[in-house]
Each structure stands twice: as C-alpha cells, then as structure tokens.
Amino acid sequence: MTSTSGRKELVRCAWGDSTPDYVSYHDDEWGTPLRGVNAMYERLCLESFQSGLSWITILRKRENFRAAFARFDPKLVAEFDGSDVARLMGDAGIVRNRAKIDAAIRNAGAVLALDEPLDELLWSFKPAKHKRPRTMSDVPAVTDESKAMAKELKRRGFVFLGPTTCYALMQATGIVDDHIATCWRAK
C-alpha cells in the first residue's frame, strides 16, 4: 500500500489501524517484551480494568490511571485506604468500578507478598512454543498457559484476573507475540 504522499504504509494487525491511539499503541508497545515489577503491575491492573470494556477506553485514560494509582507503585497502592477508594470512586478520569479498584489495591499487596519479582513470575508462563497467527481469527482468547497463570495468581492472592485477562496481559507485554503474519511487527 502507498499513501497519497507516496510513502509506503505499514501493514498492521487489523485492530492496530482503527484509531490513531491504536496505531501508536500497536506500533510502539503491544507485543513488545516488558519487564519490571511496577510496569507489569500497571499492565496487570489496566487489563483488569479493561475487563468488559474496550481497550481504547483504558488506553485513553491511562495517564489518569497512572496519576490516580501512584504511578502503579505497588508499595504505595498497597497502603491505599478507604479515603483513597472514595477519591478513586470520584475520579471521572478513570473507570470507577469499586470491584476493580479494590482488586488493584489487593493485588498490590499480593505483589509485595511474592517470593519472586512479579515480572519473573508472569514470564514463567511463556509458552515453550508459540505459533504466529496467520489472521486475527487465529488468535486465541485463552491458552493453557493463561489458564495456568490465572490459577497461580489466584493461589497467590490475586483477584479479578481470569484466563482471558491473563492472555491479554501476555499479548500486551510480549510474553506471547500475536502480531499476525502479515503485520510489519511480526518477527
């Protein structure tokens, strides 16, 4: 494909072309290997907040979430109390869902209770083999690894993280690379 400016356009996963926000997220972040406890805690929280909503809603509110949740520092979020919950429930810049807010706070405590860094735990569920999807219809919503991740996180005290949310987390953080075969990001 060539644009009207004569510059060759990139072929992306279908969802990655739908809005300018998605283009940037697709090209610069989604599927890129991510490490770090705070970075992975942020993604875990945002994927939980996304449950039942469109990702674009969360993406467009991400900076508000970062401000509201102390830049997703689990040490700080674990100390949130009732006044913080009230503040968050009144913050129109984020998704005001009490169960999801409570989960983010509880999960911060679970991060701190781990006997290994959160990113190492999450990356331990990287599949030994992963077949690149040819088309978007080949992309699964759940895998054996995402089921195992959800089960282990639940065992360790995490909440609001099922296998579908865990697989979305795996995709977003590069634990799996589901850029379709024709996408310029496919390796």
Side-chain angles (χ1 to χ4, degrees):
M1 260 203 273
T2 305
S3 69
T4 56
S5 67
R7 195 173 54 116
K8 186 171 167 112
E9 291 185 24
L10 300 174
V11 175
R12 295 178 177 85
C13 300
W15 66 268
D17 262 337
S18 61
T19 72
D21 293 323
Y22 272 161
V23 169
S24 177
Y25 179 67
H26 172 275
D27 289 0
D28 300 330
E29 291 183 64
W30 192 77
T32 300
L34 184 66
R35 297 284 184 164
V37 171
N38 291 16
M40 292 300 264
Y41 169 66
E42 174 182 341
R43 291 299 182 86
L44 184 144
C45 288
L46 293 178
E47 292 296 344
S48 292
F49 271 99
Q50 184 273 327
S51 182
L53 303 171
S54 170
W55 176 247
I56 197 71
T57 301
I58 304 305
L59 190 59
R60 289 178 175 160
K61 293 177 178 271
R62 184 163 55 171
E63 285 306 317
N64 296 331
F65 274 106
R66 286 174 174 162
F69 283 92
R71 312 277 328 148
F72 290 100
D73 181 335
K75 291 176 189 162
L76 298 176
V77 177
E79 294 177 4
F80 281 13
D81 60 17
S83 65
D84 291 297
V85 172
R87 170 183 58 82
L88 294 166
M89 287 298 293
D91 188 342
I94 66 167
V95 173
R96 295 176 288 182
N97 177 300
R98 178 67 186 251
K100 293 176 182 183
I101 290 168
D102 288 344
I105 297 167
R106 180 168 172 181
N107 290 344
V111 169
L112 299 180
L114 291 173
D115 57 358
E116 63 184 306
L118 176 65
D119 56 339
E120 289 180 22
L121 173 63
L122 297 176
W123 274 89
S124 73
F125 293 94
K126 180 178 177 61
K129 291 183 179 183
H130 182 72
K131 184 177 178 182
R132 177 166 310 286
R134 282 187 326 97
T135 67
M136 292 307 296
S137 63
D138 296 327
V139 178
V142 172
T143 63
D144 289 342
E145 293 85 3
S146 74
K147 290 176 189 174
M149 178 188 281
K151 184 177 180 181
E152 181 62 16
L153 289 173
K154 184 176 182 180
R155 187 185 75 78
R156 291 178 181 242
F158 288 82
V159 295
F160 223 96
L161 293 163
T164 303
T165 300
C166 285
Y167 194 68
L169 173 71
M170 293 169 80
Q171 292 172 303
T173 61
I175 295 172
V176 296
D177 180 358
D178 274 346
H179 286 284
I180 62 168
T182 56
C183 178
W184 76 270
R185 291 279 319 269
K187 292 181 176 85

